[in-house]
Amino acid sequence: FRHVNMSTFAEVASSQFWTSIAPECSITADHIGPFCHTSYSEEEIAASQTTMQQAGFIHLAFGSGETNGDVQVKKARFSIPSSVVPLNDIVKTLASAMGKLVQCQWHPIWVVVFDETWILAKRLEKMVQDLLQRHDLHLNMDFFAWFLDPSKMQRGWGPHRDRETMPFDSHGLPDYITVWVPLTDATLTNGCMYVLPAYFDPEYIAQATTAAESTDLDVQSIQAVPASVGSCLLWSGRLLHFGGRASFRAPHPRMSLSFALSHPSFEDPFLRLPEAQHRPWHVLPSLTERLRVIATQLWTYEAKEPLDERTRFILDAIEEDALRHLEDPDRSV
């Protein structure tokens, strides 16, 4: 396999390059393919809305995995046709791919090149819309990914709020929701997420009028949120949260992927890929477009995840290619 420090832009822009690293994944689909709608009762919807309003987060189970903790857990109900790949299978495929990318010294966010990442995100987008009855929120391509290696005792990001000035709708539901998906079981020993529930956080509402982001917290109010494969965490843009540290005693790395849903009046869901706004929902971005999203994300979060010189070179090449495409949209890639 080619490591990042040996790769050229021409290779990175080739689907064969990525599938040679992770042959279990694909970069051939141009649409989401068959999927099934979630089904929630009125009581489940009302309870989930209340939990999001009061706590600022929800733990959602979408597969067969069991979840821990005293947060509210919802399990989506499906009638799955044989043509639909279960979400659990997609998650396991992405975990395998992420492990191979990291082994080849690629940042885990490069998993966004694969069809499976986009299919997972789009299917979960529909699930969240149905659960909270917020069909005015749309997939925001604010992707990121983490691989916490227990042998290196790596840790997630420190306490922060994703969007501290985010507004609420007329029902008190957030206009920006992060969807965080564990690709391996996130446990107390490998660095699961920790949150300050909104009902313990006097700054949760006050942040709208605060000039600087408040990350002050009462340690005894922090709640650990272990999450198994087959579930995801949904949290408000204002929720104070952080990733834990992986212990050398953890049996496996913590791999995870996140993206967001946002209301256009607060943050344009298509900010990172404007041309996608005019396409049908089921259409997937091209590989070139996925590379642009990755480049944008790595530059955006460079302060949290420093970039080496070779990665910078590749990201510069991706952006130069994007500019050439804007000048000549009919140019073949």
Side-chain angles (χ1 to χ4, degrees):
F1 296 147
R2 297 276 285 184
H3 288 212
V4 62
N5 60 359
M6 299 185 293
S7 301
T8 65
F9 170 71
E11 290 175 318
V12 170
S14 163
S15 60
Q16 290 79 10
F17 173 78
W18 298 107
T19 54
S20 70
I21 295 175
E24 63 270 42
C25 289
S26 62
I27 312 180
T28 56
D30 57 3
H31 59 86
I32 188 174
F35 71 99
C36 42
H37 287 280
T38 48
S39 174
Y40 297 105
S41 68
E42 291 184 5
E43 292 77 12
E44 288 173 324
I45 291 169
S48 298
Q49 290 175 332
T50 299
T51 299
M52 182 61 82
Q53 291 161 347
Q54 295 178 348
F57 74 104
I58 294 174
H59 192 173
L60 171 67
F62 56 77
S64 58
E66 295 300 320
T67 54
N68 301 311
D70 59 359
V71 293
Q72 182 168 351
V73 176
K74 293 291 170 191
K75 181 168 293 232
R77 291 192 299 275
F78 297 98
S79 175
I80 304 181
S82 59
S83 59
V84 175
V85 179
L87 287 176
N88 269 3
D89 290 354
I90 295 176
V91 167
K92 292 173 183 176
T93 297
L94 287 174
S96 173
M98 184 179 290
K100 292 175 181 177
L101 287 169
V102 171
Q103 184 180 13
C104 292
Q105 299 177 11
W106 291 94
H107 190 285
I109 197 177
W110 292 94
V111 77
V112 172
V113 299
F114 298 120
D115 297 338
E116 287 78 6
T117 297
W118 293 88
I119 292 170
L120 176 69
K122 283 182 171 285
R123 285 172 61 176
L124 288 179
E125 173 191 15
K126 290 295 187 188
M127 199 180 289
V128 175
Q129 289 173 338
D130 291 341
L131 180 67
L132 296 175
Q133 290 297 288
R134 286 299 307 269
H135 297 96
D136 54 348
L137 299 181
H138 304 287
L139 176 63
N140 181 313
M141 303 169 202
D142 190 12
F143 282 102
F144 216 77
W146 296 263
F147 182 105
L148 303 188
D149 186 345
S151 69
K152 299 177 181 178
M153 292 192 288
Q154 293 175 327
R155 61 183 179 183
W157 290 356
H160 66 283
R161 304 173 193 269
D162 292 339
R163 297 293 187 277
E164 66 270 16
T165 60
M166 174 216 73
F168 299 92
D169 74 356
S170 59
H171 301 289
L173 294 171
D175 276 350
Y176 184 100
I177 294 175
T178 295
V179 182
W180 187 90
V181 186
L183 304 185
T184 57
D185 290 345
T187 68
L188 295 173
T189 57
N190 73 0
C192 71
M193 295 304 298
Y194 292 79
V195 304
L196 177 63
Y199 46 74
F200 286 145
D201 182 7
E203 298 294 332
Y204 183 78
I205 299 298
Q207 279 295 144
T209 57
T210 303
E213 177 184 3
S214 171
T215 55
D216 295 335
L217 53 88
D218 173 8
V219 175
Q220 290 179 295
S221 298
I222 293 297
Q223 181 172 325
V225 193
S228 300
V229 170
S231 70
C232 63
L233 303 181
L234 317 175
W235 64 68
S236 158
R238 293 196 191 190
L239 186 79
L240 185 60
H241 61 282
F242 59 92
R245 184 188 291 274
S247 164
F248 68 91
R249 300 179 64 182
H252 61 265
R254 191 209 83 185
M255 302 187 209
S256 56
L257 172 73
S258 76
F259 55 91
L261 274 64
S262 63
H263 192 281
S265 66
F266 172 63
E267 183 171 309
D268 182 2
F270 302 100
L271 180 66
R272 293 160 180 81
L273 202 61
E275 55 268 48
Q277 183 173 5
H278 306 293
R279 296 175 185 162
W281 174 83
H282 65 276
V283 174
L284 300 181
S286 66
L287 174 57
T288 301
E289 292 169 338
R290 299 175 196 186
L291 292 174
R292 284 167 48 197
V293 171
I294 292 170
T296 297
Q297 294 305 97
L298 285 173
W299 287 128
T300 298
Y301 294 107
E302 184 181 8
K304 294 180 182 293
E305 301 272 346
L307 303 174
D308 58 39
E309 184 177 350
R310 186 59 182 175
T311 299
R312 287 170 172 272
F313 173 82
I314 292 174
L315 299 186
D316 284 339
I318 291 172
E319 292 185 341
E320 289 172 7
D321 180 74
L323 289 174
R324 288 194 295 269
H325 181 76
L326 288 175
E327 294 169 358
D328 182 10
D330 297 325
R331 180 179 63 89
S332 59
V333 178

